[in-house]
Amino acid sequence: VKGGKPEFDGTGFYTFKLAKPAGGTVTNTTGEFTGLTDGTYTITISDASSCSSSTVLPVQVITRPTAVTITGVAVTHFSCVNSRDGRIAVTATGGTPGYQLAVNASANGVINEGDWLNFGTSTTTTTKTYIATEAGVYYLYVRDANHCVGNTVSVTVLQPAALTMTGVVTDVTCAGAGQVQLTPAGGWAPAVAQSYLFSNGTATNTTGLFTSLNAGTYTASVSVTAGSTSTSTSIVTYTYPVVSCTANYSYQVKDLVAYKYMAVTAPVKCKGGSDGSLTVTVLAGTSATVTTTGAEYYVQLTTTANPSLQAGTWTRTTNQKFTFTNLPHAIYSVWISNGMPTAAGQGPCLLPT
């Protein structure tokens, strides 16, 4: 200030009067006013002769930025177990643009200067996406260009249960080839679609049932697609993504077990006699029935290598031992089966001997 008639009164040469927006004035001789709230102020200066300046200082508007605030958070959970692809999109407003985001695993965790991440290269950027590589709770902090920190928001990133698959295997039987029924479990629920790939060629289906399988080891995979659903709490929106997770397993279809047996003969005592005997003991093989006394088998003797086996000529035992008596001298073929031929013409299961 210059001009007028200054007079030092022990505290200053001029008198400054500040008119408050809400009414009332504050006067001093230093020209410094503190503790002011937001608003418009008028300043009048007087000299020692009580002359006021004919020029009133321009209106001085004192403003304060609004607090920086996290106004929205969009959380996308993991696609599959251990996929480490969670996403947290944070939107901020207020304060002085030029936002930064800090993420911490605890409510009162230490945030170092290097932990702050810029929202973007432009001060107009108001959303920052953070990749969550671990499932769990995250605490979010935002500060503006003046390093004023706003509110804190906590969110939880989830991951689905591990996708698994069970297979019910039906081994090769006399009645037909083997099959496998696959059933998945885990992943995000509810699943909206699932598909299976089996290694017998390029077989695919949506039922998980694969039939007409020969004996062998098969690899199978299942892909389960979950539908995206969202839930919201306060300013946070949680989204379960549309994803297809895959699980791979192997299954073995077993073949019929070849028969192994031991034969003990007793020769015919006299030429032209019929008092020979043959005892067959089954050591291993596929049995149709297991009784309280052992596996159930059927056996038939023929004197030709490729006979027409007939129903009703089979001998049945439940102790795996067959004894044929009153046999004449001949070369016999031993036929072992795990089932009796039926009247409908369905033959027994003849296995290699």
Side-chain angles (χ1 to χ4, degrees):
V1 177
K2 65 180 180 178
K5 184 182 179 181
E7 181 177 311
F8 184 71
D9 61 1
T11 58
F13 295 93
Y14 297 94
T15 300
F16 301 86
K17 182 172 68 175
L18 182 71
K20 296 181 179 180
T25 60
V26 178
T27 302
N28 65 35
T29 58
T30 63
E32 181 178 355
F33 299 90
T34 60
L36 303 181
T37 60
D38 297 349
T40 301
Y41 296 81
T42 301
I43 300 176
T44 302
I45 305 169
S46 300
D47 64 7
S49 300
S50 298
C51 295
S52 297
S53 172
S54 60
T55 301
V56 178
L57 287 177
V59 174
Q60 178 67 42
V61 179
I62 300 176
T63 60
R64 179 182 62 192
T66 59
V68 59
T69 304
I70 297 176
T71 56
V73 181
V75 176
T76 303
H77 296 305
F78 279 27
S79 300
C80 306
V81 64
N82 296 326
S83 60
R84 301 182 181 275
D85 58 354
R87 302 172 69 87
I88 305 173
V90 180
T91 299
T93 58
T96 302
Y99 303 124
Q100 291 180 312
L101 170 68
V103 180
N104 208 295
S106 61
N108 299 309
V110 176
I111 300 177
N112 299 313
E113 186 61 30
D115 296 332
W116 292 98
L117 307 173
N118 292 328
F119 269 44
T121 57
S122 172
T123 57
T124 60
T125 303
T126 59
T127 299
K128 172 69 174 179
T129 298
Y130 178 84
I131 304 301
T133 58
E134 298 290 339
V137 178
Y138 291 84
Y139 292 86
L140 312 175
Y141 305 85
V142 169
R143 72 180 184 183
D144 66 4
N146 295 325
H147 289 192
C148 297
V149 180
N151 58 322
T152 302
V153 176
S154 66
V155 298
T156 302
V157 177
L158 303 177
Q159 65 176 334
L163 181 63
T164 60
M165 183 167 57
T166 57
V168 177
V169 178
T170 301
D171 294 324
V172 176
T173 66
C174 297
Q179 68 177 37
V180 176
Q181 174 66 68
L182 305 173
T183 303
W188 288 119
V192 297
Q194 57 197 32
S195 61
Y196 303 85
L197 174 64
F198 214 66
S199 64
N200 59 332
T202 57
T204 60
N205 63 37
T206 58
T207 64
L209 177 62
F210 294 88
T211 59
S212 302
L213 302 179
N214 295 322
T217 300
Y218 297 87
T219 58
S221 66
V222 58
S223 295
V224 177
T225 301
S228 177
T229 58
S230 296
T231 59
S232 297
T233 59
S234 183
I235 62 173
V236 181
T237 299
Y238 291 95
T239 299
Y240 299 81
V242 177
V243 292
S244 294
C245 301
T246 301
N248 299 292
Y249 289 84
S250 63
Y251 300 96
Q252 183 178 16
V253 177
K254 296 180 180 179
D255 204 348
L256 295 169
V257 178
Y259 291 127
K260 294 181 180 179
Y261 69 96
M262 178 177 65
V264 178
T265 62
V268 176
K269 294 179 179 179
C270 299
K271 184 177 180 180
S274 297
D275 56 353
S277 67
L278 173 63
T279 299
V280 177
T281 302
V282 179
L283 303 178
T286 300
S287 173
T289 306
V290 177
T291 68
T292 57
T293 57
E296 180 181 275
Y297 295 97
Y298 293 81
V299 69
Q300 186 172 154
L301 297 181
T302 67
T303 55
T304 58
N306 297 293
S308 177
L309 299 174
Q310 300 296 320
T313 61
W314 294 86
T315 300
R316 171 179 174 271
T317 184
T318 57
N319 61 11
Q320 298 176 252
K321 181 178 285 188
F322 309 80
T323 299
F324 298 89
T325 59
N326 301 320
L327 300 178
H329 173 77
I331 296 176
Y332 293 92
S333 294
V334 178
W335 300 88
I336 301 173
S337 171
N338 62 2
M340 173 69 77
T342 65
Q346 297 175 351
C349 186
L350 298 175
L351 300 180
T353 60

